[in-house]
């Protein structure tokens, strides 16, 4: 059983973190991220899906661990460059940054062209728009293999209900389209969903192999996408990285034998690298009885961490009491400060309010919402005119401010009263 009392994060005391940086604050453990990168080191390329956590300190750290990076927008391309990634590959090397999306917005296409960023096209229109601006070269294609899986319907990116990728039955046409526009299809990429289970993930390698055969020996790269699950709940299975690699490696080797040249094997995790490294540190500001239930209200809300309200996602929690008195455990509803009933961290999909077992919370205690390093800060908003939280990066037991808390004035600094 994990302890429900916790006084430190990555070796730094919770009380010190709260005193120095305030709350709510995301705290990231650099070592934990490094360990996750290392766990996937058998893959030729680990391409970090920075959408999970694009703080420059995190992206830079992942880069220093040897991973390459994915970008889904103009902003993420600029973040990757700012974190030290080179825009394009040295001869024969994998591109440091790949832009993967289903559309080019105009800013992204301009940046791709300007910096020579590699592109992974999820729609035939991307192929055409790219070819209009760049003559010749390689693209990779993101394919929807006709099936998908995710921890929520909203994170399933395969099958007929998904907007993502080139439908597998359209692949031959898309490859032809690329060729007509003077482009070579150098790779295929399959990402069936986020937080997928291992059963579904295991099917993807077979699909990738079959589709690569359809395109033929121009294929030099296959990407397994991301979606690797992490154990949010006690007892959730952990990924057997070696078995997962072996499965993909076998498919890759069969393709190499057929094509007569090496095929690079990429993986593109977001959550797996950063989720468990992050804690959302907040302060208990009110405790009240509501019927038979006890609600603890903290200073973070779904403006700070949206996963529970969006997906009914479960995040384990623990308490750092402000005193040494015994705190008997009980079932607690944890909510935030927002003016909306759905502002509850202990909920299931559909908004059903649940509880979590916690030591008795009191005003002034600190609450730690764990496994919050992925899709936490990046999905934060200014709802209710709340500022974006601070982010802190802990390396070697030392806490560094990685993003200052947004000032209240900055929330509306770009607004104008027009008349
Ligand atoms: N590659 C592609 C093309 C993706 O679309 C995604 C996630 C990833 C990689 C990384 O997936 P991961 O390894 O992190 O599961 N906001 C949701 C997750 C949305 C994921 C979108 N795409 C959440 O909080 O669970």
């Amino acid at each position: 059983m994990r302890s429900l009392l916790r006084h430190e994060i990555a070796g730094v005391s919770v009380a010190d973190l709260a005193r120095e940086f305030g709350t709510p604050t995301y705290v990231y453990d650099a070592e934990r991220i490094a360990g996750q990168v290392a766990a996937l080191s058998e893959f030729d390329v680990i391409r970090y899906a920075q959408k999970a956590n694009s703080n420059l300190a995190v992206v830079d750290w992942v880069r220093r661990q040897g991973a390459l990076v994915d970008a889904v927008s103009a902003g993420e391309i600029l973040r990757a460059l700012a974190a030290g990634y080179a825009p394009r590959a040295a001869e024969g090397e994998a591109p440091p940054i790949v832009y993967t999306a289903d559309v080019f917005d105009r800013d992204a296409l301009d940046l791709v062209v300007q910096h020579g960023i590699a592109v992974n096209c999820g729609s035939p229109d991307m192929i055409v728009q790219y070819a209009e601006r760049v003559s010749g070269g390689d693209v990779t294609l993101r394919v929807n293999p006709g099936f998908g899986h995710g921890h929520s319907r909203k994170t399933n990116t395969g099958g007929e209900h998904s907007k993502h990728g080139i439908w597998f039955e359209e692949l031959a046409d898309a490859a032809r389209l690329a060729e007509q526009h003077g482009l070579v299809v150098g790779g295929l990429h399959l990402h069936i969903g986020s937080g997928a289970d291992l059963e579904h993930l295991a099917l993807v390698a077979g699909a990738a192999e079959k589709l690569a055969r359809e395109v033929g020996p121009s294929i030099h790269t296959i990407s397994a996408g991301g979606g690797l699950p992490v154990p949010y709940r006690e007892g959730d299975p952990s990924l057997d990285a070696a078995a997962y690699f072996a499965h993909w490696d076998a498919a890759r080797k069969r393709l190499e034998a057929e094509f007569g040249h090496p095929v690079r094997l990429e993986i593109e995790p977001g959550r797996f690298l950063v989720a468990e490294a992050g804690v959302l540190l907040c302060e208990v500001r009110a405790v009240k009885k509501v019927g038979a239930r006890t609600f603890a209200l903290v200073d973070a809300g779904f403006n700070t961490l949206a996963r529970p309200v969006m997906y009914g996602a479960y995040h384990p929690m623990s308490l750092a009491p402000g005193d040494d008195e015994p705190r008997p455990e009980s079932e607690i509803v944890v909510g935030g400060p927002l003016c909306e009933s759905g502002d509850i961290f202990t909920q299931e999909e559909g908004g059903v309010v649940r509880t979590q077992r916690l030591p008795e919370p009191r005003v002034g205690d600190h609450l730690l919402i764990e496994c919050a390093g992925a899709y936490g800060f990046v999905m934060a908003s200014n709802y209710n005119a709340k500022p974006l939280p601070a982010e802190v990066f802990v390396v070697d037991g030392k806490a560094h401010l990685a993003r200052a808390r947004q000032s209240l004035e900055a929330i509306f600094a770009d607004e104008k009263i027009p008349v």
Side-chain angles (χ1 to χ4, degrees), residues 239-256:
L239 177 77
D240 180 346
Y244 190 58
F245 170 77
H247 190 67
W248 273 94
D249 190 38
R252 174 259 292 273
K253 287 205 167 106
R254 285 190 291 270
L255 289 173
E256 284 181 332

Side-chain angles (χ1 to χ4, degrees), residues 281-417:
L281 172 60
C282 38
E283 186 186 338
V284 178
R285 300 296 306 151
V287 180
K288 59 183 175 183
K289 288 271 177 218
V290 179
R293 284 174 156 157
T294 303
F295 279 61
L297 303 185
V298 298
D299 57 4
F302 72 64
N303 60 309
T304 328
L305 175 66
R307 303 193 70 254
V309 75
M310 273 195 77
Y311 317 112
Y314 174 91
H315 284 267
M317 298 179 198
S318 49
L319 193 78
D323 57 46
D324 296 333
E325 287 168 32
R327 303 293 185 94
E329 290 175 7
S330 61
E331 294 294 324
I332 306 289
V333 179
V334 178
L338 302 180
C339 200
E340 183 157 335
S341 307
D343 188 24
I344 295 291
F345 289 116
T346 48
Q347 66 176 291
E348 286 180 3
E349 195 151 17
V352 181
V353 172
R354 295 288 183 207
T355 57
Q356 233 182 85
R357 192 160 190 82
L358 279 171
E360 180 194 317
R362 293 191 196 154
V363 171
D365 290 346
H366 291 113
L367 184 85
L368 284 67
I369 305 182
E370 301 177 355
C371 278
Y375 307 107
F377 181 92
V378 287
M379 290 171 70
S381 77
N382 284 133
Y383 188 46
N384 280 194
K386 292 277 186 185
L388 298 176
E391 293 176 282
V392 167
F393 195 65
V394 183
V395 192
D396 288 337
K398 203 168 167 333
H400 306 268
L401 185 62
R403 180 179 174 123
R405 182 179 317 288
Q406 190 179 32
S407 73
L408 292 172
E409 291 72 21
I411 295 173
F412 53 88
D414 291 333
E415 298 174 23
K416 301 258 179 301
I417 298 175

